[in-house]
Amino acid sequence: QVQLVESGGGLVQAGGSLRLSCAASGRTASMYAMGWFRQDPGKEREVVAVIHWNGVITYYVNSVKGRFTISRDNAKNTVSLQMNSLKSEDTAVYYCAAGGWRSMVVRGTADYWGQGTQVIVSS
């Protein structure tokens, strides 16, 4: 079992930056791919960024490439999402997730979910 707790959401102006963090507990947390999904009301949930358990291989949805950076620290069981040049369309609830790499990247699902943190980008 893996528990995930997000922090770092909030309100920011367009063009600004936010950093989301996720703390994972559970002795097998470092064995999972970890990532961030987002969902805005009325829209489907989408995978934003995923990082392999090795901390090297990453995936980003096209709309955030060059603006967002995902990283992880397996010693601390944390994963972070640095979001720069934020746009109004980035407004959503962001969820930290853990699971298999293919499940998250290809099928857009995960085994474990955090409670979500709201990000609002004002234009």
Side-chain angles (χ1 to χ4, degrees), residues 11-97:
L11 173 65
V12 64
Q13 288 189 333
S17 299
L18 278 177
R19 184 176 181 88
L20 305 183
S21 296
C22 175
S25 60
R27 57 193 179 103
T28 61
S30 62
M31 298 175 62
Y32 289 94
M34 295 188 73
W36 294 90
F37 291 68
R38 66 186 179 187
Q39 188 168 22
D40 207 20
K43 297 182 181 179
E44 290 189 0
R45 181 183 64 200
E46 68 170 348
V47 57
V48 177
V50 183
I51 187 165
H52 196 273
W53 65 264
N54 64 18
V56 176
I57 302 171
T58 57
Y59 165 84
Y60 296 93
V61 68
N62 284 340
S63 59
V64 308
K65 285 181 180 178
R67 301 189 297 121
F68 291 11
T69 302
I70 189 169
S71 60
R72 70 185 294 166
D73 184 335
N74 284 341
K76 297 180 179 179
N77 274 351
T78 58
V79 62
S80 298
L81 185 68
Q82 178 66 42
M83 305 186 294
N84 298 328
S85 302
L86 283 160
K87 304 175 181 180
S88 57
E89 51 263 43
D90 294 319
T91 294
V93 177
Y94 283 70
Y95 297 91
C96 179

